[in-house]
Amino acid sequence: MNKQKETSEVIKYIFVGVIVLAVTVSLAGVTPTGPKKIIYNYFSMYIALGCNVIFFMSGIAYRIYDENNLMSWISRYLISITIMPAVVGIACLNLVYASFPFWKVIAPLGAMYVVAAVLPFINEKLSATLHTEIFAPRSCLGRVIAMSVLSLAPIAGIFGAFLSGVAERHGGTIGYSLMGLVFHFSFVWGTISMAHQAWERRPWKSSNQE
């Protein structure tokens, strides 16, 4: 009975996943270029597709493997580090690309997700600190960032639209790019936090550190 239930959940997950994948991948390539004008960035779409495939395949694997299994933890970790770029991260980078269509700008920003993904392996202490700061800021800088985000979030869309309206008169889309940049850093920080939470549940932690 449990086996049938698990199979049913996997099928449901795949069905919902295909719909979400189609929507997120499609939106990831939309690039504003002016007043009521857009182009489609297929390269961004392909990257979003890759992230989504990894994310959804990892979700299926996580439901199949036993929770205490190493493969289950690997699947969980992959879910944690790909959900942000898969769902919204690539789309935000594509907004940045609207005014800065240069790989020398976009590549380092995209690489931040890679650094966020491997940070617990490289520097667990820094990863833990950043994870703590996103929920309960203790440092002065962390509190300033948190307060700034809470203060600016309600007007970010209006401000970005205003900048874009002004810039578009001169052929620019800087407002979209600034919004994309702000959200990009937020999602990278969120990825660091999610990666650390998954890292804390690694199977070998108890034998090595407890």
Side-chain angles (χ1 to χ4, degrees):
M1 186 70 179
N2 290 334
K3 198 70 175 178
Q4 291 180 344
K5 186 177 180 180
E6 289 179 5
T7 302
S8 177
E9 287 183 356
V10 170
I11 293 174
K12 188 185 301 182
Y13 180 86
I14 293 174
F15 178 75
V16 174
V18 169
I19 297 175
V20 175
L21 185 148
V23 173
T24 54
V25 169
S26 298
L27 292 177
V30 177
T31 311
T33 58
K36 300 181 181 180
K37 294 180 181 179
I38 62 171
I39 61 173
Y40 202 81
N41 187 346
Y42 286 96
F43 186 67
S44 178
M45 184 198 73
Y46 295 143
I47 295 176
L49 177 61
C51 290
N52 272 277
V53 168
I54 295 173
F55 171 69
F56 286 115
M57 292 301 292
S58 299
I60 293 173
Y62 181 71
R63 291 173 179 273
I64 292 176
Y65 289 105
D66 182 80
E67 190 171 349
N68 297 322
N69 191 289
L70 177 61
M71 288 301 298
S72 176
W73 177 80
I74 293 175
S75 301
R76 182 188 183 91
Y77 200 86
L78 288 174
I79 292 170
S80 300
I81 65 176
T82 55
I83 185 171
M84 291 288 186
V87 177
V88 287
I90 302 302
C92 287
L93 280 177
N94 195 44
L95 286 180
V96 177
Y97 180 82
S99 288
F100 304 99
F102 312 106
W103 69 267
K104 291 183 179 180
V105 174
I106 303 302
L109 292 175
M112 289 182 180
Y113 281 111
V114 179
V115 174
V118 300
L119 186 59
F121 294 90
I122 299 174
N123 193 328
E124 184 178 355
K125 185 176 180 181
L126 177 59
S127 175
T129 299
L130 292 174
H131 165 65
T132 302
E133 288 292 307
I134 198 172
F135 291 107
R138 297 177 181 177
S139 67
C140 180
L141 179 59
R143 290 172 182 170
V144 169
I145 293 175
M147 290 301 296
S148 299
V149 170
L150 290 175
S151 301
L152 295 176
I155 63 171
I158 299 174
F159 182 65
F162 170 76
L163 284 179
S164 291
V166 173
E168 283 173 355
R169 296 175 187 174
H170 305 282
T173 52
I174 189 66
Y176 295 115
S177 294
L178 288 177
M179 279 194 298
L181 197 60
V182 170
F183 285 119
H184 166 74
F185 287 118
S186 300
F187 296 140
V188 169
W189 198 351
T191 300
I192 292 174
S193 176
M194 295 190 70
H196 185 77
Q197 291 178 65
W199 172 256
E200 284 293 294
R201 301 187 64 170
R202 59 196 183 278
W204 64 90
K205 179 183 179 181
S206 58
S207 60
N208 288 349
Q209 299 184 11
E210 292 182 356

